[in-house]
Amino acid sequence: MRVLVTGGAGFLGSHLCDLLLEEGHDVIAMDNLITGNPDNIQHHFGNKRFRFIQHDVTDFVYVEGPLDAILHFASPASPIDYLELPIQTLKVGAMGTHKVLGLAKKKNARFVLASSSEVYGDPLIHPQEESYWGNVNPIGPRGVYDEAKRFAEAIVMAYHRFHGVNTRIARIFNTYGPRMRAIDGRVVPTFIVQALAGEDLTVFGDGSQTRSFCFVTDLVRGIYNLLNSDETDPVNVGNPTEMTISLFAREVLELTGSDSTIIYKDLPQDDPKVRQPNIRRAREILDWEPKVPLREGLAKTIEYFRNLKDPK
Ligand code: UDP
């Protein structure tokens, strides 16, 4: 296949490029580099099956030649990023998704949307299954991301129903691994960088809120299986192993061997109290489930941040 990955220089996008090239496909990575980083894909520069285009997908998207699939992964993706880039976050989820769907229609390409567990907001049912419609505050600080992803899902289904575009929707839960940005504010890189530097680990709230962390290689395999499936309804992709943020902080301290202390700060507005994917559909439809245990994935991630020249 010849595949376009938007957000191809980002965390998930670059790992998708790796997997697609490994599976023998030709890959075009597109990124405007506002949160993406060319270092994430530089190991593919010089590969004839790989091309990078610096472009903002909220502007008209042009790609020469045939395309078999488009994976739409462009978006700021951390709560701090969408606080700092609220308009870009809304635009890439809304106008960017529209542009790239137009390209999929024109090229007759399969389309995969990177949606998010954020469509469930601060969920009132637990674990979250795909039939749940969510509990989102549209006007809160996270609303720019949550509503952009919800609009993106709506326009994907409209292009599927009205134009017959062959679409997929992945609802991606917290994912971690090498190539996360050290300073993007998400809990995994933040705690690791703090622990390695001997700084305090900043737990927000009382740390009783939960998340379920999926290692990135597991995640991209799930996305690849979804691309190759016939499923047009949303599918949760994530790791159901759930833990409190306090426990997660202690895991990071243990695995880094750090003697940093844990301090407590205010909980950000609308921070979901619990989050765990129900992955029954992914297991059945994609024949997929995560394989990498947290400690193994965390060890690899810690190694990555240890080797970063300037993690700040
Ligand atoms: N969090 C924290 N300390 C930090 C960063 C995040 O306690 O320095 C918490 C945050 O409040 C949330 C959880 O960790 O409850 C996961 O946050 P993240 O930003 O990674 O992603 P989210 O799942 O909220 O989108």
Side-chain angles (χ1 to χ4, degrees), residues 63-290:
V63 174
E64 213 171 332
L67 276 181
D68 303 293
I70 300 175
L71 307 181
H72 183 37
F73 277 67
S75 178
S78 84
I80 283 191
D81 286 341
Y82 31 94
L83 274 181
E84 281 172 7
L85 304 164
I87 315 285
Q88 286 96 327
T89 302
L90 281 160
K91 279 176 72 179
V92 73
M95 288 135 83
T97 305
H98 181 216
K99 296 274 184 298
V100 184
L101 279 166
L103 184 68
K105 176 170 154 246
K106 181 166 142 202
K107 303 278 186 183
N108 201 12
R110 265 182 200 202
F111 182 93
V112 180
L113 172 70
S115 184
S116 169
S117 56
E118 285 283 323
V119 302
Y120 302 123
D122 188 3
L124 302 177
I125 73 142
H126 190 67
Q128 293 75 55
E129 55 189 36
E130 291 87 345
S131 56
Y132 180 47
W133 290 356
N135 176 41
V136 171
N137 174 3
I139 58 165
R142 299 172 84 104
V144 295
Y145 184 74
D146 302 9
E147 296 296 3
K149 291 295 185 188
R150 290 166 68 94
F151 175 88
E153 289 198 6
I155 194 169
V156 163
M157 291 311 292
Y159 266 69
H160 173 64
R161 294 191 182 109
F162 192 74
H163 288 309
V165 175
N166 197 354
T167 57
R168 313 279 182 270
I169 296 174
R171 290 192 178 147
I172 299 170
F173 283 65
N174 294 66
T175 305
Y176 71 99
R179 301 185 200 152
M180 293 188 94
R181 273 159 58 238
I183 52 154
D184 84 358
R186 281 188 280 188
V187 71
V188 176
T190 303
F191 283 1
I192 292 176
V193 170
Q194 289 168 337
L196 292 178
E199 292 168 3
D200 296 337
L201 267 61
T202 50
V203 168
F204 296 160
D206 63 4
S208 63
Q209 71 273 30
T210 67
R211 293 295 185 274
S212 310
F213 298 103
C214 185
F215 192 60
V216 64
T217 52
D218 278 335
L219 194 282
V220 294
R221 177 59 64 182
I223 302 295
Y224 188 67
N225 288 7
L226 178 63
L227 169 68
N228 290 320
S229 78
D230 292 323
E231 184 59 43
T232 54
D233 283 341
V235 181
N236 287 340
V237 189
N239 189 322
T241 309
E242 182 187 14
M243 65 173 63
T244 65
I245 294 303
S246 289
L247 178 60
F248 181 68
R250 292 199 292 276
E251 290 280 338
V252 171
L253 288 181
E254 196 181 321
L255 287 175
T256 51
S258 167
D259 52 15
S260 293
T261 44
I262 295 176
I263 61 164
Y264 294 86
K265 294 203 157 182
D266 288 347
L267 192 66
Q269 191 188 335
D270 300 332
D271 197 282
K273 286 179 266 312
V274 289
R275 182 181 287 157
Q276 183 193 27
N278 176 327
I279 59 164
R280 183 186 55 78
R281 297 187 76 245
R283 283 195 172 102
E284 281 172 20
I285 299 165
L286 311 181
D287 190 24
W288 172 88
E289 62 181 3

Side-chain angles (χ1 to χ4, degrees), residues 27-43:
V27 175
I28 302 165
M30 186 174 278
D31 204 299
N32 65 359
L33 301 179
I34 61 168
T35 59
N37 182 349
D39 289 352
N40 293 339
I41 46 170
Q42 50 126 8
H43 52 291

